[in-house]
């Protein structure tokens, strides 16, 4: 079929669908009216050209040395995920059948009637920005020439820890974003990621992950922002605003329930009722749409109570569109459409799976067209499938293309990649932002007797043993979707593609006067203890031992964290806990740094440690950030977005528990109390909270009240405190969490400075799903709790809500505005803003009350 020229007609008139003077909706209706059924279906598919990511060797399972033999594990796979969830070469027949069918149609045939998306042109192999841009131009030119209308495809890429491309900045993993409690910082990071992607012709990013953690054993905890819906909502909306500010479509995933799979198994069934789904899982997605402006949603692989998300019209149409008013596109997670047939077995074959997914509300199939091919045309003509469903999905996709400018007559692939030639994907500005985020995400769990290493009145250690599998391998700082862990294991000669000093390198730079001795001790995985003797000898001969333990991310069992890398229990992988125990037995003070993608049970480790630090996969600048916290140069300000369990088994199921889940009450011998609670973190200074003030003790169920506390830095160093507001429904018609985060503010205070933090709480913030599955605000007492973690809440009061039960919907208040008042000047801090720095008031010195 010969393509029609995109330029105006001979008489100079624009075709209606090209005319920017018309509304986007009118332009889309004009082109839909001209399209054949086959051409409309063509817009619903995608193509991953050049995908060679299956059945490739990987160094992921080799030892943690960056120079590991690429042949050490010939069956390992650099994998995939959604992105490529399921792409690894697993010996699983239903998945293998789908992979074998994917991409078999020649490209010119696949684009004959047009194409919706081009999949990961930059992110599938190590190419430079210029090389990737050239491929974008080549593919877009082919797509445009193949169909009558010359419509380009949307180019999408992964961006879970930054732009997943060769040489691009590797930011901390999303679980580290949660530890910052800093929406403004996350928004700045996402904007930087978006600018880089936009410069090389990318239109859509497959992020953020808004799954709320329900079981710490799940491998993808590292991709989440924590276990609290409000924290995930605020950070997720901030990420969306940042990415969308660069013109990149943000994609919310995985909608919905994926993180709550039975036994924490990847793709496992989710035994969850609609009340828990509505109150714990869905709010983050709703908020990212309402307050973030997200334009795309990706379905979950899992089934919830037997209904796969990709085939659920209640979820994808009734809730998402009819209740929330979402007008963007729903894209399938990679191969989730054929998985309806091969994995869930709710469709007889891929053709039926495509019809089922389309009817449920999926608009575009990724990463390749299988279920959304021309088989749909046959079903329409036979009367099995209403053509209105094809029109509905095509309209949504074309609206997005029009908004992106892809229907404009002057759009060209060359212009879309104009910034590629001079682009530095790991620019100094990016690295500075990555460093800031890494520093602000590190959680000091216990300073003990050893930290900071260069503290006042403490002699600096002259000889330091640096031990552990995470001490000299910067890959352990990176998540499974970071390009060095995701793709480069298949290209071992290329290294990491970015400069990423290890913790050992960073400590040498941080402590130039100290002698550092390194011993690995053990690997991240496995039972080999042969390195213990050398490690303990090094510790015994040192003034101090720093041991770095934790995870190495991988995919589908070829790592200890990441997609398909789920855990049996929460003990540190391999023999790392035993290594710490033996190091502590030498009598040398041992500082433990946990570099991980999930919280591990650290009861025994804590007992043995002279200092304990949690670093959630801090990215390429993680080494310097950790070293700075250990030395004391960096004031730690991270807070736990997940609890740290005490014991390996019987782990708490997150802090959001009703009374019988939060306390054994003598009924069970298992104590759910964590070692460190949600929201916890300490620093090298001290803070005091007090003087709680509540504006009203009674408000109507449609009213609001304010809660304020004074926070003061009572120590000798500047630092950040995260003031946290929790609410507790004293009596409700269904069981409710004993406490739930409702607001937070990160405030930087100079020594002796104080500030008043004020939360404006609407009654809507107490809403929950009642017995009839309607979201309600119920009259009754609400306990207000303010403090610095879910377990440290010294400021308490009670507010009574009065009046009738209110049924609330999508127009309810989703956030809790907060202001910080240093002195007499109020400073508004919406949940999206950066921390406020407060200087001491005149006449107030450090330590004065």
């Amino acid at each position: 079929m010969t393509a029609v020229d995109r330029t105006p007609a001979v008489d100079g008139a624009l075709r209606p669908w090209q005319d920017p003077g018309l509304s986007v909706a009118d332009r889309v209706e004009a082109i839909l009216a001209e399209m054949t059924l086959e051409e409309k279906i063509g817009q619903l598919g995608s193509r991953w050209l050049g995908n060679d990511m299956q059945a490739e060797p990987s160094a992921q399972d080799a030892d943690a040395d960056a120079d590991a033999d690429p042949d050490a594990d010939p069956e390992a796979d650099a994998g995939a995920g959604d992105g490529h969830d399921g792409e690894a070469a697993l010996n699983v027949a239903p998945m293998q059948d789908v992979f074998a069918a994917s991409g078999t149609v020649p490209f010119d045939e696949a684009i004959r009637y047009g194409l919706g998306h081009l999949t990961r042109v930059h992110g599938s192999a190590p190419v430079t920005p210029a090389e990737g841009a050239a491929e974008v131009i080549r593919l877009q030119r082919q797509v445009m020439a193949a169909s009558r209308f010359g419509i380009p495809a949307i180019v999408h890429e992964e961006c879970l820890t930054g732009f997943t491309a060769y040489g691009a900045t590797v930011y901390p993993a999303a679980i580290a974003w949660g530890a910052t409690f800093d929406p403004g910082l996350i928004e700045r990071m996402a904007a930087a990621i978006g600018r880089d992607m936009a410069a090389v012709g990318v239109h859509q990013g497959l992020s953020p992950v808004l799954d709320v953690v329900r079981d710490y054993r799940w491998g993808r905890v590292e991709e989440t922002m924590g276990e609290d819906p409000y924290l995930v909502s605020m950070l997720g909306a901030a990420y969306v605003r940042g990415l969308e500010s660069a013109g990149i479509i943000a994609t919310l995933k995985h909608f919905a329930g994926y993180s709550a799979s039975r036994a924490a198994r990847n793709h496992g069934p989710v035994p969850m009722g609609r009340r828990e789904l509505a109150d714990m899982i869905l709010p983050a997605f709703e908020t990212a749409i309402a307050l973030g402006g997200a334009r795309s949603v990706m379905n979950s692989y899992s089934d919830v109570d037997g209904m796969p998300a990709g085939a659920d019209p209640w979820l994808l149409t009734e809730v998402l569109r009819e209740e929330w008013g979402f007008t963007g596109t729903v894209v399938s997670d990679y191969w989730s459409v054929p998985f309806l047939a091969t994995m869930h077995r709710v469709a007889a074959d891929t053709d039926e799976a495509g019809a089922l997914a389309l009817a449920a509300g999926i608009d575009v199939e990724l990463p390749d067209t299988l279920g959304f091919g021309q088989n749909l045309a046959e079903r329409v003509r036979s009367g099995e499938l209403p053509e209105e469903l094809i029109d509905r999905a095509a309209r949504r996709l074309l609206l997005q293309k029009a908004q992106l400018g892809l229907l404009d007559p002057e759009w060209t692939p060359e212009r879309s990649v104009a910034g590629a030639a001079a682009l530095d994907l790991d620019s100094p500005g990016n690295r500075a932002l990555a460093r800031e985020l890494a520093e602000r995400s590190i959680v000091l769990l216990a300073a003990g007797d050893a930290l900071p290493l260069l503290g006042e009145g403490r002699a600096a250690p002259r000889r330091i043993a640096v031990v552990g599998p995470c001490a000299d391998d910067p890959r352990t700082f990176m998540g499974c979707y970071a390009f060095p862990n995701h793709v480069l294991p298949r290209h071992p000669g290329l290294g990491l593609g970015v400069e990423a000093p290890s913790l050992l390198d960073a400590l040498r730079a941080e402590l130039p006067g100290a002698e550092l001795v390194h011993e690995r001790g053990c690997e991240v995985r496995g039972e080999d203890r042969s390195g213990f003797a050398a490690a303990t000898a090094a510790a015994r001969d040192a003034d101090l031992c720093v041991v770095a333990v934790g995870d190495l991310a991988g995919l589908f069992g070829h790592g200890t964290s990441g997609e398909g890398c789920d855990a049996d229990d929460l003990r540190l992988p391999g023999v790392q806990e035993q290594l710490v125990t033996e190091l502590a037995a030498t009598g040398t003070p041992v500082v433990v740094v946990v570099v991980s993608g999930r919280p591990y049970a650290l009861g025994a480790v804590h007992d043995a440690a002279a200092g304990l630090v949690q670093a959630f996969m801090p990215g390429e600048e993680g080494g310097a950030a950790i070293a700075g916290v250990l030395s004391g140069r960096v004031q730690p300000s991270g807070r736990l977005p997940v609890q740290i369990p005490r014991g390996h088994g019987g782990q708490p199921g997150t802090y959001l528990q009703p009374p019988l889940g939060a306390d054994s009450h003598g009924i069970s011998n298992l104590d759910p109390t964590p070692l460190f609670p949600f929201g916890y973190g300490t620093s090298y200074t001290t803070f005091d909270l007090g003087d709680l003030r509540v504006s009203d003790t009674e408000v109507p169920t449609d009213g609001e009240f304010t809660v304020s506390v004074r926070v003061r830095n009572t120590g000798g160093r500047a630092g950040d405190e995260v003031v946290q507001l929790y609410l507790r429904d004293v009596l409700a018609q269904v069981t409710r969490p004993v406490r739930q985060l409702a607001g937070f503010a990160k405030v930087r205070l100079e020594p002796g400075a104080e500030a008043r933090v004020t939360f404006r709480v609407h009654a809507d913030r107490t809403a929950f799903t009642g017995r009839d599955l309607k979201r309600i605000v119920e009259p009754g007492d609400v306990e207000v709790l303010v403090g610095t973690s879910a377990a440290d809440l010294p400021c308490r009061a009670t507010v009574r809500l009065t009046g009738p039960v209110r049924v609330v919907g999508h127009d309810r208040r989703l956030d809790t505005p907060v202001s910080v008042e240093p002195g007499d000047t109020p400073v508004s801090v919406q949940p999206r803003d950066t921390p406020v720095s407060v200087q001491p008031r005149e006449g107030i010195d450090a330590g004065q009350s």
Side-chain angles (χ1 to χ4, degrees), residues 699-763:
V699 297
T701 53
D702 62 353
E704 69 174 24
F705 57 93
T706 63
V707 179
S708 73
V709 294
R710 173 199 41 79
V711 55
R712 179 186 170 111
N713 183 343
T714 56
R717 288 186 59 174
D720 296 90
E721 183 59 276
V722 179
V723 181
Q724 301 166 41
L725 167 69
Y726 294 79
L727 299 178
R728 183 173 80 90
D729 198 336
V730 176
L731 179 67
Q733 59 180 253
V734 297
T735 60
R736 301 286 296 132
V738 294
R739 67 189 67 83
Q740 185 166 357
L741 185 71
F744 60 89
K746 194 166 193 174
V747 183
R748 184 165 185 80
L749 294 168
E750 295 297 320
E754 65 178 43
R756 178 156 291 277
V757 179
T758 302
F759 300 96
R760 196 168 79 245
V761 185
H762 196 281

Side-chain angles (χ1 to χ4, degrees), residues 163-253:
F163 182 13
T164 304
Y166 182 59
T169 304
V170 179
Y171 294 94
I175 190 67
W177 311 350
T180 69
F181 275 71
D182 191 342
L185 180 55
I186 304 310
E187 185 170 344
R188 287 194 286 127
M189 177 198 67
I193 294 169
R195 288 192 295 269
D196 286 344
M197 296 172 76
V200 294
V202 179
H203 307 107
Q204 183 162 347
L206 303 186
S207 194
V209 169
L210 297 184
D211 299 309
V212 174
V213 176
R214 304 298 285 166
D215 191 323
Y216 306 138
R217 298 171 298 172
W218 190 47
R220 304 191 78 168
V221 167
E222 66 169 62
E223 299 176 39
T224 77
M225 288 171 265
E227 66 183 62
D228 181 83
Y230 187 69
L231 178 64
V232 176
S233 294
M234 293 300 99
L235 297 177
Y239 183 98
V240 169
R241 285 192 297 270
L243 204 65
E244 293 275 359
S245 72
I248 299 295
I249 296 169
T251 309
L252 313 180
K253 60 187 189 183

